């Protein structure tokens, strides 16, 4: 089958799958809590894929990804809420989502990318722990600015009023305080996962991705062969921030989710979870980011479900001072430590579930001319006649020197 036809059929199959999920998701998962968890896991996959660009492929250490997700969440909520009002309000329907979600996701990605450029230009000249501190500081500044904006008075000017309209610690619930319209159903979230996976895959195996991995391994050697470290790192940081913003835009409008965007959703714990997803799956692996995002999200929920077992409830009744939430985090940390001991490179390392086929030779078509045979020099031909047929390429073969060459 020709490759263009195969790609078109694959795209149509994926489109049919996400449309089927949009209308059959409630039948597939009748419990609203599990539907919310599944959609939240997919949002985390997008956040992990975007963080993998800077932490995995480029080899930088950013721990402030929650800030870009939060910027995208607030931007997407503002755009979606105002467009919903212009469309007449009411229940967010699937048809109107094609007018709301593209604008909300585009705005969320662009604003987050702009902040990524502002943060990345000065900070990516730093390395290691210093870069981590800068990105963490940015995320905390963003969160605390919004969390304390409710205390600003009217005399603070336009910026103070704009920050106060975000709701402060209570959160932003739309322009009329009735909640952010939940347009992001399975079609948009699972579709965004498919698009993000394809883009991350193409980026990794492109020339740009190889340059990023070269910078990660040896920045000095990469710069010596013409790779501009600052340009590549800043651009990858902007791409990562844009992906985080899109994840935030989906999170703010997620169906069956919280209709209020609150600053406490984007603490350091969220950044830590995103880093865990990338490292657990394998830094630089697209497949690892997907598996890590799903595994971390469902592991936390599974541990919470275990607290409802009769044996656990009996243990709590026997020891009232026992803090189950603390034990939940201890168990979660123990699982991560065990995985890191057994698989320090992550579940996949830098490998993928599906191999990359671009380097494989294609079979010759019937009637096509044979591949050209590399030319051989005189000494090579003489050595071939003396020693029989030679195998391998000219670089792989060892040519014994003649007597004259030995004297020289």
């Amino acid at each position: 089958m020709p490759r263009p036809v195969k790609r078109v059929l694959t795209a149509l199959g994926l489109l049919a799958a996400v449309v089927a999920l949009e209308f059959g998701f409630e039948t597939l998962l009748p419990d609203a809590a599990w539907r919310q968890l599944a959609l939240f896991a997919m949002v985390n996959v997008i956040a992990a894929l975007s963080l993998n660009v800077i932490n995995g492929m480029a080899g930088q250490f950013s721990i402030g990804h929650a800030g870009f997700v939060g910027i995208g969440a607030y931007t997407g909520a503002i755009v979606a809420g105002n467009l919903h009002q212009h469309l007449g309000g009411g229940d967010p329907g699937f048809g109107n989502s094609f007018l709301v979600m593209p604008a909300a996701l585009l705005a969320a990605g662009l604003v987050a990318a702009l902040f990524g450029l502002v943060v990345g230009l000065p900070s990516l000249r730093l390395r290691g722990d210093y870069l981590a501190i800068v990105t963490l500081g940015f995320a905390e500044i963003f969160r605390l600015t919004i969390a304390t904006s409710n205390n600003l008075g009217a005399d603070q000017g336009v910026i103070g009023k704009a920050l106060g309209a975000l709701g402060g610690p209570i959160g932003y619930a739309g322009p009329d305080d009735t909640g952010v319209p939940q347009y992001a159903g399975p079609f948009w979230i699972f579709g965004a996962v498919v698009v993000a996976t394809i883009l991350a895959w193409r980026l990794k195996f492109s020339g740009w991705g190889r340059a990023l991995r070269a910078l990660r391994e040896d920045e000095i050697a990469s710069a010596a062969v013409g790779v501009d470290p600052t340009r590549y790192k800043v651009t990858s940081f902007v791409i990562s921030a844009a992906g985080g913003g899109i994840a935030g835009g989906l999170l703010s409008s997620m169906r069956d989710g919280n209709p209020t965007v609150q600053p406490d959703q984007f603490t350091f714990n969220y950044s830590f979870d995103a880093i865990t997803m990338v490292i657990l799956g394998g830094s630089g692996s697209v497949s690892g980011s997907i598996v890590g995002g799903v595994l971390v999200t469902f592991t936390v929920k599974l541990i919470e479900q275990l607290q409802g077992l009769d044996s656990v409830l009996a243990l709590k009744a026997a020891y009232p001072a026992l803090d189950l939430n603390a034990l939940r985090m201890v168990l979660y940390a123990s699982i991560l430590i065990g995985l890191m001991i057994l698989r320090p490179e992550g579940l996949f390392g830098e490998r993928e579930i599906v191999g990359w086929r671009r380097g494989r030779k294609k079979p010759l078509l019937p009637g096509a001319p044979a591949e050209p045979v590399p030319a051989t020099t005189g000494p090579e031909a003489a050595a071939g006649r003396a020693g029989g047929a030679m195998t391998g390429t000219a670089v792989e073969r060892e040519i014994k020197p003649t007597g004259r060459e030995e004297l020289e």
Side-chain angles (χ1 to χ4, degrees):
M1 182 183 297
R3 181 173 294 180
V5 176
K6 187 176 180 180
R7 289 180 176 177
V8 171
L9 292 177
T10 302
L12 292 176
L14 292 173
L15 180 61
V18 294
V19 171
L21 282 173
E22 175 68 28
F23 295 100
F25 201 57
E26 293 186 6
T27 304
L28 186 63
L29 291 176
D31 191 351
W34 285 103
R35 289 199 303 270
Q36 178 187 2
L37 181 64
L39 294 178
F40 183 56
M42 294 301 102
V43 172
N44 285 341
V45 165
I46 299 174
L49 286 172
S50 60
L51 182 62
N52 188 43
V53 174
I54 186 68
N55 277 28
M57 299 181 191
Q60 305 303 307
F61 191 54
S62 170
I63 58 176
H65 205 57
F68 300 114
V69 178
I71 289 172
Y74 275 96
T75 304
I78 293 171
V79 173
N82 285 278
L83 285 178
H84 182 67
Q85 271 193 343
H86 287 296
L87 293 174
D91 293 332
F94 181 62
N96 287 341
S97 68
F98 287 91
L99 300 175
V100 175
M101 290 308 301
L105 296 181
L106 180 62
L110 289 177
V111 174
L114 178 61
F115 276 91
L117 179 63
V118 172
V119 175
L121 278 175
S123 63
L124 282 175
R125 298 180 183 274
L126 306 173
R127 299 180 183 177
D129 299 339
Y130 299 102
L131 175 62
I133 293 172
V134 170
T135 54
L136 175 62
F138 161 73
E140 288 300 300
I141 289 172
F142 158 76
R143 183 181 66 86
L144 293 175
T145 299
I146 295 179
T148 58
S149 60
N150 220 17
N151 298 326
L152 300 176
D155 56 343
Q156 297 295 325
V158 178
I159 297 179
K161 292 179 180 179
L163 290 175
L166 297 180
I170 300 175
Y172 179 77
D176 52 359
D177 291 332
T178 58
V180 179
Q182 298 176 338
Y183 280 102
F187 175 83
W188 291 102
I189 293 181
F190 282 92
V193 170
V194 172
V195 174
T197 302
I198 294 173
L199 292 177
W201 185 279
R202 300 292 295 179
L203 176 63
K204 177 179 178 179
F205 293 103
S206 66
W208 190 278
R210 289 191 292 269
L212 287 180
R213 283 178 283 169
L215 284 172
R216 180 190 64 191
E217 299 300 330
D218 194 328
E219 184 174 326
I220 297 177
S222 301
V225 296
V227 177
D228 186 357
T230 302
R231 174 171 167 260
Y232 275 87
K233 288 193 293 186
V234 170
T235 306
S236 63
F237 198 80
V238 170
I239 294 173
S240 177
I246 292 174
L250 291 169
L251 180 63
S252 63
S253 300
M254 187 178 70
R255 189 177 301 169
D256 297 317
N258 185 5
T260 304
V261 182
Q262 298 171 328
D264 289 341
Q265 294 176 270
F266 312 106
T267 60
F268 172 70
N269 291 333
Y270 191 88
S271 295
F272 176 76
D273 287 340
I275 296 171
T276 304
M277 296 169 195
V278 173
I279 297 177
L280 182 62
S283 295
S285 172
V286 177
S287 306
S289 297
I290 297 172
V291 174
V294 175
L295 186 61
V296 169
T297 305
F298 278 91
T299 299
V300 174
K301 184 64 177 179
L302 180 61
I303 296 174
E304 292 178 356
Q305 293 294 323
L306 292 177
Q307 297 183 20
L309 296 177
D310 293 337
S311 57
V312 178
L313 293 177
L315 182 64
K316 185 177 180 180
Y319 301 96
L322 186 63
D323 189 356
L324 292 180
N325 287 325
L327 288 178
R328 175 176 65 87
M329 297 308 299
V330 170
L331 181 59
Y332 177 54
S334 301
I335 294 173
L336 294 180
I337 292 173
L339 286 172
M340 289 297 100
I341 293 175
L342 298 175
R343 297 283 298 179
E345 72 277 13
L347 295 177
F348 291 89
E350 203 175 350
R351 297 179 296 274
E352 303 293 344
I353 294 178
V354 181
W356 184 246
R357 294 185 171 184
R358 178 167 290 183
R360 298 182 180 178
K361 291 184 178 180
K362 299 179 181 178
L364 294 176
L365 297 176
E371 293 185 1
V373 179
T376 57
T377 61
E380 288 176 343
R385 287 192 297 269
M390 296 189 301
T391 59
T393 62
V395 177
E396 295 169 347
R397 293 192 297 265
E398 179 181 359
I399 307 301
K400 293 183 179 181
T402 62
R404 181 179 299 176
E405 292 172 345
E406 289 179 351
L407 292 175
E408 292 177 353

